[in-house]
Amino acid sequence: MASSTLICDTEAWKDLKGHLEEIKHTHLRDLMADTSRCQSMMVEFDGMLLDYSRQRATLATMDKLYVLAEAAHLKQKIGSMYAGEHINSTENRSVLHVALRAPRDAVINSDGKNVVPDVWNVLDKIREFSEKVRSGSWVGATGKVLKDVIAIGIGGSFLGPLFVHTALQTDPEASECAKGRQLRFLANVDPIDVARNITGLNPETTLVVVVSKTFTTAETMLNARTVRAWITSALGPSAVAKHMVAVSTNLALVEKFGIDPNNAFAFWDWVGGRYSVCSAVGVLPLSLQYGFSVVEKFLKGASSIDQHFISAPFDKNIPVLLGLLSVWNVSFFGYPARAILPYSQALEKFAPHIQQVSMESNGKGVSIDGVPLPYESGEIDFGEPGTNGQHSFYQLIHQGRVIPCDFIGVVKSQQPVYLEGEVVNNHDELMSNFFAQPDALAYGKTSLELQKENVPQHLIPHKTFSGNRPSLSLLLPSLNVYNIGQLLAIYEHRIAVEGFIWGINSFDQWGVELGKVLATQVRKQLHTSRKKGDSVEGFNFSTATLLKRYLEASSDVPADPPTVLPQI
Ligand code: F6P
């Protein structure tokens, strides 16, 4: 596409706009009655089943979306990503998270160099190091085994590993491998998060992994200095060498911080922070907790989707279908949000992770060529596991706003429970809801049906459900570490597909910068006010008033305090 051409100017987009008017006159009740349509909207891959028949789409819609994909050069864009082209043009970088989980013998080039051997060098180093720590051949400064790990990082250096860790905690194989060990995540710069993370841990048996792509993120670096103080105040400065390691692309700053470069695990600037869970960012802490051989299966799961994404035709390609349908919902129907509803408590941190992957990637205001977008990109992602969400925000989803929903279900529970005499086992009870909710959204309940049930007239408007609310269902065979890798990659690629169609750069994040700059100015002010009593200057009336109130009300904070660590 020429640099200023936007996807909304293409015939394919205009055709879909016209088609939308036809679709608006359909109801999912009627669309669902067409069995051959529904059959065509089921896709299977590697044991999982995607059912998108409850989308407000016909087969003609899908054909038009494939034409849109062609107009957006989707296939070429996916190819360019895998070929290591600098598709993150504002940062002049390749986007190669697929290389992080590629088989050892794969060839994936960035700037003329095959990056796969570098990836495997780091993976081999992680395998070796994590085995040493787990087996007790690498011990802490006082000779004790390091059985607890605090991973310090934020955003992409936190959310993905937390999601995977949370999902693995109840997996029988993984939990067996993690016996006697703890993995904690310290992300927020709030000292309360420090307190929560160090409470109950002994510095003598704790290994700290500082995870930061840049090694400059203010929150992470202050947390790293704080936990370093916790270690050194108990064990002396030399303990850092045994108790602190790092994951970063900036090895020079790691060394400057005082961590031995031999204890640093590299990754590369062609890995976006939010796409980094398959790099040392996730693989190191997770291998320390579960062992490398478990984590390797996670990489294999993600890799299986990478192969599928690059090779499957679009009408059988799960990430492509999901991405196109999201564009249809956001850009044509104008639905601004997407609910991610895993019917598995193990996936409770999935939606928070996808929030970053999706909203940091696709929440943009200009095209990749800098042209202001006359349409919205991105969506508001949120979610909770079922059935908890049902007792929280589903009221709005059923009778209030229309929010396309992703229902994610699992055939075999990680932790089956059977109670003698119960109607169904506990997982069947959970899954009854997974199967029921999409139909409730799609079909709704009419006033006629309510009348037939003798519902009092005055309650009929309150008990009516309009239905026609789109959702899709993804049924996974189980939730083992391989499936968790697959799920991650499906969403990563789906989000890339959306960005490719919208014509934006899904791999930069300039929108997070301004707030950081303004915080620097506030930090300086707090420093000089506390240390020298300087008055608050250079802020607008509102911020100045708030700052003054804050400083006055906390005037007991010492100007030059000694180190004080949380005391709980
Ligand atoms: O929030 C902005 C951001 O740059 C994210 O993109 C990134 O995941 C996070 O900060 C953490 O960055 P780093 O890994 O460099 O500490």
Side-chain angles (χ1 to χ4, degrees), residues 456-481:
Q457 197 56 39
H458 73 282
L459 285 181
I460 287 186
H462 300 282
K463 292 195 155 196
T464 300
F465 290 74
S466 61
N468 214 15
R469 290 160 188 261
S471 69
L472 53 87
S473 302
L474 185 63
L475 188 59
L476 308 177
S478 52
L479 196 60
N480 59 30
V481 62

PDB file of all heavy atoms in Angstrom, residues 456-481:
ATOM      1  N   PRO A 456     -44.924 -11.987  35.246  1.00  0.00           N
ATOM      2  CA  PRO A 456     -45.787 -10.811  35.367  1.00  0.00           C
ATOM      3  C   PRO A 456     -45.384  -9.711  34.369  1.00  0.00           C
ATOM      4  O   PRO A 456     -44.186  -9.491  34.147  1.00  0.00           O
ATOM      5  CB  PRO A 456     -45.558 -10.340  36.810  1.00  0.00           C
ATOM      6  CG  PRO A 456     -44.929 -11.482  37.512  1.00  0.00           C
ATOM      7  CD  PRO A 456     -44.273 -12.353  36.492  1.00  0.00           C
ATOM      8  N   GLN A 457     -46.384  -9.095  33.802  1.00  0.00           N
ATOM      9  CA  GLN A 457     -46.172  -8.112  32.741  1.00  0.00           C
ATOM     10  C   GLN A 457     -45.109  -7.064  33.102  1.00  0.00           C
ATOM     11  O   GLN A 457     -44.248  -6.743  32.291  1.00  0.00           O
ATOM     12  CB  GLN A 457     -47.515  -7.430  32.439  1.00  0.00           C
ATOM     13  CG  GLN A 457     -47.549  -6.693  31.103  1.00  0.00           C
ATOM     14  CD  GLN A 457     -47.182  -7.587  29.912  1.00  0.00           C
ATOM     15  OE1 GLN A 457     -47.561  -8.754  29.856  1.00  0.00           O
ATOM     16  NE2 GLN A 457     -46.406  -7.049  28.988  1.00  0.00           N
ATOM     17  N   HIS A 458     -45.192  -6.560  34.377  1.00  0.00           N
ATOM     18  CA  HIS A 458     -44.277  -5.458  34.723  1.00  0.00           C
ATOM     19  C   HIS A 458     -42.811  -5.912  34.779  1.00  0.00           C
ATOM     20  O   HIS A 458     -41.904  -5.090  34.741  1.00  0.00           O
ATOM     21  CB  HIS A 458     -44.702  -4.803  36.050  1.00  0.00           C
ATOM     22  CG  HIS A 458     -44.421  -5.632  37.263  1.00  0.00           C
ATOM     23  ND1 HIS A 458     -45.203  -6.705  37.643  1.00  0.00           N
ATOM     24  CD2 HIS A 458     -43.431  -5.557  38.186  1.00  0.00           C
ATOM     25  CE1 HIS A 458     -44.706  -7.245  38.740  1.00  0.00           C
ATOM     26  NE2 HIS A 458     -43.617  -6.558  39.094  1.00  0.00           N
ATOM     27  N   LEU A 459     -42.598  -7.231  34.872  1.00  0.00           N
ATOM     28  CA  LEU A 459     -41.200  -7.698  34.924  1.00  0.00           C
ATOM     29  C   LEU A 459     -40.648  -8.073  33.547  1.00  0.00           C
ATOM     30  O   LEU A 459     -39.440  -8.286  33.399  1.00  0.00           O
ATOM     31  CB  LEU A 459     -41.088  -8.904  35.865  1.00  0.00           C
ATOM     32  CG  LEU A 459     -41.159  -8.588  37.366  1.00  0.00           C
ATOM     33  CD1 LEU A 459     -41.021  -9.865  38.186  1.00  0.00           C
ATOM     34  CD2 LEU A 459     -40.055  -7.601  37.767  1.00  0.00           C
ATOM     35  N   ILE A 460     -41.546  -8.146  32.571  1.00  0.00           N
ATOM     36  CA  ILE A 460     -41.090  -8.623  31.254  1.00  0.00           C
ATOM     37  C   ILE A 460     -39.952  -7.773  30.677  1.00  0.00           C
ATOM     38  O   ILE A 460     -38.933  -8.325  30.264  1.00  0.00           O
ATOM     39  CB  ILE A 460     -42.288  -8.780  30.290  1.00  0.00           C
ATOM     40  CG1 ILE A 460     -43.048 -10.031  30.762  1.00  0.00           C
ATOM     41  CG2 ILE A 460     -41.821  -8.912  28.835  1.00  0.00           C
ATOM     42  CD1 ILE A 460     -44.181 -10.477  29.913  1.00  0.00           C
ATOM     43  N   PRO A 461     -40.040  -6.429  30.717  1.00  0.00           N
ATOM     44  CA  PRO A 461     -38.904  -5.670  30.163  1.00  0.00           C
ATOM     45  C   PRO A 461     -37.595  -5.957  30.895  1.00  0.00           C
ATOM     46  O   PRO A 461     -36.522  -5.979  30.291  1.00  0.00           O
ATOM     47  CB  PRO A 461     -39.305  -4.203  30.374  1.00  0.00           C
ATOM     48  CG  PRO A 461     -40.755  -4.217  30.703  1.00  0.00           C
ATOM     49  CD  PRO A 461     -41.109  -5.572  31.227  1.00  0.00           C
ATOM     50  N   HIS A 462     -37.682  -6.198  32.197  1.00  0.00           N
ATOM     51  CA  HIS A 462     -36.465  -6.440  32.980  1.00  0.00           C
ATOM     52  C   HIS A 462     -35.882  -7.817  32.722  1.00  0.00           C
ATOM     53  O   HIS A 462     -34.684  -8.028  32.860  1.00  0.00           O
ATOM     54  CB  HIS A 462     -36.774  -6.294  34.483  1.00  0.00           C
ATOM     55  CG  HIS A 462     -37.273  -4.940  34.834  1.00  0.00           C
ATOM     56  ND1 HIS A 462     -36.459  -3.858  34.968  1.00  0.00           N
ATOM     57  CD2 HIS A 462     -38.545  -4.491  35.020  1.00  0.00           C
ATOM     58  CE1 HIS A 462     -37.183  -2.783  35.246  1.00  0.00           C
ATOM     59  NE2 HIS A 462     -38.456  -3.144  35.278  1.00  0.00           N
ATOM     60  N   LYS A 463     -36.757  -8.745  32.362  1.00  0.00           N
ATOM     61  CA  LYS A 463     -36.285 -10.132  32.199  1.00  0.00           C
ATOM     62  C   LYS A 463     -36.026 -10.488  30.741  1.00  0.00           C
ATOM     63  O   LYS A 463     -35.653 -11.612  30.437  1.00  0.00           O
ATOM     64  CB  LYS A 463     -37.316 -11.091  32.805  1.00  0.00           C
ATOM     65  CG  LYS A 463     -37.413 -10.986  34.327  1.00  0.00           C
ATOM     66  CD  LYS A 463     -38.159 -12.173  34.887  1.00  0.00           C
ATOM     67  CE  LYS A 463     -37.773 -12.423  36.329  1.00  0.00           C
ATOM     68  NZ  LYS A 463     -38.158 -13.752  36.792  1.00  0.00           N
ATOM     69  N   THR A 464     -36.236  -9.508  29.867  1.00  0.00           N
ATOM     70  CA  THR A 464     -35.984  -9.762  28.447  1.00  0.00           C
ATOM     71  C   THR A 464     -34.488  -9.645  28.158  1.00  0.00           C
ATOM     72  O   THR A 464     -33.812  -8.770  28.707  1.00  0.00           O
ATOM     73  CB  THR A 464     -36.755  -8.727  27.578  1.00  0.00           C
ATOM     74  OG1 THR A 464     -38.133  -8.874  27.867  1.00  0.00           O
ATOM     75  CG2 THR A 464     -36.499  -8.944  26.096  1.00  0.00           C
ATOM     76  N   PHE A 465     -33.999 -10.556  27.341  1.00  0.00           N
ATOM     77  CA  PHE A 465     -32.599 -10.519  26.892  1.00  0.00           C
ATOM     78  C   PHE A 465     -32.633 -10.344  25.375  1.00  0.00           C
ATOM     79  O   PHE A 465     -33.202 -11.184  24.676  1.00  0.00           O
ATOM     80  CB  PHE A 465     -31.883 -11.835  27.217  1.00  0.00           C
ATOM     81  CG  PHE A 465     -31.630 -12.071  28.680  1.00  0.00           C
ATOM     82  CD1 PHE A 465     -32.666 -12.429  29.538  1.00  0.00           C
ATOM     83  CD2 PHE A 465     -30.353 -11.966  29.204  1.00  0.00           C
ATOM     84  CE1 PHE A 465     -32.430 -12.663  30.889  1.00  0.00           C
ATOM     85  CE2 PHE A 465     -30.105 -12.191  30.554  1.00  0.00           C
ATOM     86  CZ  PHE A 465     -31.150 -12.543  31.401  1.00  0.00           C
ATOM     87  N   SER A 466     -32.010  -9.277  24.897  1.00  0.00           N
ATOM     88  CA  SER A 466     -32.071  -9.033  23.451  1.00  0.00           C
ATOM     89  C   SER A 466     -31.329 -10.105  22.662  1.00  0.00           C
ATOM     90  O   SER A 466     -31.652 -10.379  21.512  1.00  0.00           O
ATOM     91  CB  SER A 466     -31.486  -7.659  23.135  1.00  0.00           C
ATOM     92  OG  SER A 466     -30.130  -7.635  23.555  1.00  0.00           O
ATOM     93  N   GLY A 467     -30.323 -10.724  23.255  1.00  0.00           N
ATOM     94  CA  GLY A 467     -29.502 -11.689  22.517  1.00  0.00           C
ATOM     95  C   GLY A 467     -28.714 -10.997  21.421  1.00  0.00           C
ATOM     96  O   GLY A 467     -28.444  -9.790  21.490  1.00  0.00           O
ATOM     97  N   ASN A 468     -28.308 -11.775  20.407  1.00  0.00           N
ATOM     98  CA  ASN A 468     -27.545 -11.233  19.271  1.00  0.00           C
ATOM     99  C   ASN A 468     -26.214 -10.651  19.722  1.00  0.00           C
ATOM    100  O   ASN A 468     -25.711  -9.707  19.123  1.00  0.00           O
ATOM    101  CB  ASN A 468     -28.374 -10.179  18.527  1.00  0.00           C
ATOM    102  CG  ASN A 468     -28.078 -10.201  17.034  1.00  0.00           C
ATOM    103  OD1 ASN A 468     -27.484 -11.162  16.525  1.00  0.00           O
ATOM    104  ND2 ASN A 468     -28.472  -9.164  16.335  1.00  0.00           N
ATOM    105  N   ARG A 469     -25.669 -11.199  20.776  1.00  0.00           N
ATOM    106  CA  ARG A 469     -24.400 -10.719  21.325  1.00  0.00           C
ATOM    107  C   ARG A 469     -23.308 -11.728  20.963  1.00  0.00           C
ATOM    108  O   ARG A 469     -23.385 -12.887  21.356  1.00  0.00           O
ATOM    109  CB  ARG A 469     -24.525 -10.549  22.851  1.00  0.00           C
ATOM    110  CG  ARG A 469     -25.428  -9.389  23.198  1.00  0.00           C
ATOM    111  CD  ARG A 469     -25.979  -9.421  24.593  1.00  0.00           C
ATOM    112  NE  ARG A 469     -26.975  -8.364  24.737  1.00  0.00           N
ATOM    113  CZ  ARG A 469     -26.757  -7.173  25.300  1.00  0.00           C
ATOM    114  NH1 ARG A 469     -25.602  -6.909  25.858  1.00  0.00           N
ATOM    115  NH2 ARG A 469     -27.695  -6.257  25.336  1.00  0.00           N
ATOM    116  N   PRO A 470     -22.297 -11.261  20.214  1.00  0.00           N
ATOM    117  CA  PRO A 470     -21.329 -12.207  19.647  1.00  0.00           C
ATOM    118  C   PRO A 470     -20.334 -12.770  20.657  1.00  0.00           C
ATOM    119  O   PRO A 470     -19.953 -12.096  21.621  1.00  0.00           O
ATOM    120  CB  PRO A 470     -20.591 -11.370  18.606  1.00  0.00           C
ATOM    121  CG  PRO A 470     -20.738  -9.966  19.063  1.00  0.00           C
ATOM    122  CD  PRO A 470     -22.044  -9.881  19.806  1.00  0.00           C
ATOM    123  N   SER A 471     -19.938 -13.988  20.398  1.00  0.00           N
ATOM    124  CA  SER A 471     -18.863 -14.597  21.187  1.00  0.00           C
ATOM    125  C   SER A 471     -18.181 -15.643  20.323  1.00  0.00           C
ATOM    126  O   SER A 471     -18.661 -15.973  19.242  1.00  0.00           O
ATOM    127  CB  SER A 471     -19.421 -15.261  22.452  1.00  0.00           C
ATOM    128  OG  SER A 471     -20.170 -16.402  22.106  1.00  0.00           O
ATOM    129  N   LEU A 472     -17.068 -16.130  20.804  1.00  0.00           N
ATOM    130  CA  LEU A 472     -16.451 -17.293  20.163  1.00  0.00           C
ATOM    131  C   LEU A 472     -15.980 -18.224  21.272  1.00  0.00           C
ATOM    132  O   LEU A 472     -15.766 -17.801  22.414  1.00  0.00           O
ATOM    133  CB  LEU A 472     -15.306 -16.890  19.238  1.00  0.00           C
ATOM    134  CG  LEU A 472     -14.208 -16.024  19.800  1.00  0.00           C
ATOM    135  CD1 LEU A 472     -13.136 -16.861  20.459  1.00  0.00           C
ATOM    136  CD2 LEU A 472     -13.598 -15.194  18.673  1.00  0.00           C
ATOM    137  N   SER A 473     -15.875 -19.485  20.915  1.00  0.00           N
ATOM    138  CA  SER A 473     -15.491 -20.491  21.911  1.00  0.00           C
ATOM    139  C   SER A 473     -14.248 -21.216  21.437  1.00  0.00           C
ATOM    140  O   SER A 473     -14.179 -21.661  20.288  1.00  0.00           O
ATOM    141  CB  SER A 473     -16.617 -21.510  22.101  1.00  0.00           C
ATOM    142  OG  SER A 473     -17.791 -20.852  22.489  1.00  0.00           O
ATOM    143  N   LEU A 474     -13.293 -21.310  22.344  1.00  0.00           N
ATOM    144  CA  LEU A 474     -12.056 -22.043  22.042  1.00  0.00           C
ATOM    145  C   LEU A 474     -11.946 -23.159  23.067  1.00  0.00           C
ATOM    146  O   LEU A 474     -11.882 -22.900  24.275  1.00  0.00           O
ATOM    147  CB  LEU A 474     -10.867 -21.085  22.145  1.00  0.00           C
ATOM    148  CG  LEU A 474      -9.498 -21.635  21.756  1.00  0.00           C
ATOM    149  CD1 LEU A 474      -9.446 -22.035  20.286  1.00  0.00           C
ATOM    150  CD2 LEU A 474      -8.415 -20.577  22.020  1.00  0.00           C
ATOM    151  N   LEU A 475     -11.983 -24.382  22.572  1.00  0.00           N
ATOM    152  CA  LEU A 475     -11.955 -25.535  23.480  1.00  0.00           C
ATOM    153  C   LEU A 475     -10.596 -26.226  23.370  1.00  0.00           C
ATOM    154  O   LEU A 475     -10.231 -26.718  22.295  1.00  0.00           O
ATOM    155  CB  LEU A 475     -13.089 -26.497  23.100  1.00  0.00           C
ATOM    156  CG  LEU A 475     -13.350 -27.669  24.039  1.00  0.00           C
ATOM    157  CD1 LEU A 475     -13.688 -27.198  25.452  1.00  0.00           C
ATOM    158  CD2 LEU A 475     -14.489 -28.538  23.497  1.00  0.00           C
ATOM    159  N   LEU A 476      -9.859 -26.224  24.471  1.00  0.00           N
ATOM    160  CA  LEU A 476      -8.531 -26.851  24.494  1.00  0.00           C
ATOM    161  C   LEU A 476      -8.652 -28.267  25.048  1.00  0.00           C
ATOM    162  O   LEU A 476      -9.466 -28.507  25.941  1.00  0.00           O
ATOM    163  CB  LEU A 476      -7.577 -26.049  25.389  1.00  0.00           C
ATOM    164  CG  LEU A 476      -7.450 -24.553  25.133  1.00  0.00           C
ATOM    165  CD1 LEU A 476      -6.509 -23.924  26.160  1.00  0.00           C
ATOM    166  CD2 LEU A 476      -6.927 -24.279  23.737  1.00  0.00           C
ATOM    167  N   PRO A 477      -7.838 -29.205  24.573  1.00  0.00           N
ATOM    168  CA  PRO A 477      -7.955 -30.585  25.062  1.00  0.00           C
ATOM    169  C   PRO A 477      -7.597 -30.704  26.547  1.00  0.00           C
ATOM    170  O   PRO A 477      -8.169 -31.494  27.270  1.00  0.00           O
ATOM    171  CB  PRO A 477      -6.968 -31.377  24.197  1.00  0.00           C
ATOM    172  CG  PRO A 477      -6.052 -30.364  23.596  1.00  0.00           C
ATOM    173  CD  PRO A 477      -6.791 -29.064  23.548  1.00  0.00           C
ATOM    174  N   SER A 478      -6.622 -29.912  26.968  1.00  0.00           N
ATOM    175  CA  SER A 478      -6.213 -29.921  28.380  1.00  0.00           C
ATOM    176  C   SER A 478      -5.472 -28.609  28.619  1.00  0.00           C
ATOM    177  O   SER A 478      -5.365 -27.778  27.695  1.00  0.00           O
ATOM    178  CB  SER A 478      -5.305 -31.120  28.687  1.00  0.00           C
ATOM    179  OG  SER A 478      -4.241 -31.147  27.770  1.00  0.00           O
ATOM    180  N   LEU A 479      -4.965 -28.447  29.809  1.00  0.00           N
ATOM    181  CA  LEU A 479      -4.214 -27.221  30.085  1.00  0.00           C
ATOM    182  C   LEU A 479      -2.851 -27.619  30.619  1.00  0.00           C
ATOM    183  O   LEU A 479      -2.477 -27.283  31.740  1.00  0.00           O
ATOM    184  CB  LEU A 479      -4.988 -26.331  31.064  1.00  0.00           C
ATOM    185  CG  LEU A 479      -4.497 -24.882  31.129  1.00  0.00           C
ATOM    186  CD1 LEU A 479      -4.608 -24.192  29.784  1.00  0.00           C
ATOM    187  CD2 LEU A 479      -5.299 -24.095  32.157  1.00  0.00           C
ATOM    188  N   ASN A 480      -2.122 -28.357  29.770  1.00  0.00           N
ATOM    189  CA  ASN A 480      -0.751 -28.684  30.166  1.00  0.00           C
ATOM    190  C   ASN A 480       0.165 -27.581  29.641  1.00  0.00           C
ATOM    191  O   ASN A 480      -0.281 -26.629  28.990  1.00  0.00           O
ATOM    192  CB  ASN A 480      -0.355 -30.081  29.668  1.00  0.00           C
ATOM    193  CG  ASN A 480      -0.448 -30.188  28.158  1.00  0.00           C
ATOM    194  OD1 ASN A 480      -0.257 -29.208  27.448  1.00  0.00           O
ATOM    195  ND2 ASN A 480      -0.748 -31.377  27.659  1.00  0.00           N
ATOM    196  N   VAL A 481       1.427 -27.730  29.910  1.00  0.00           N
ATOM    197  CA  VAL A 481       2.356 -26.642  29.594  1.00  0.00           C
ATOM    198  C   VAL A 481       2.425 -26.378  28.083  1.00  0.00           C
ATOM    199  O   VAL A 481       2.566 -25.235  27.641  1.00  0.00           O
ATOM    200  CB  VAL A 481       3.733 -26.938  30.247  1.00  0.00           C
ATOM    201  CG1 VAL A 481       4.370 -28.191  29.719  1.00  0.00           C
ATOM    202  CG2 VAL A 481       4.662 -25.751  30.147  1.00  0.00           C
TER     203      VAL A 481
END
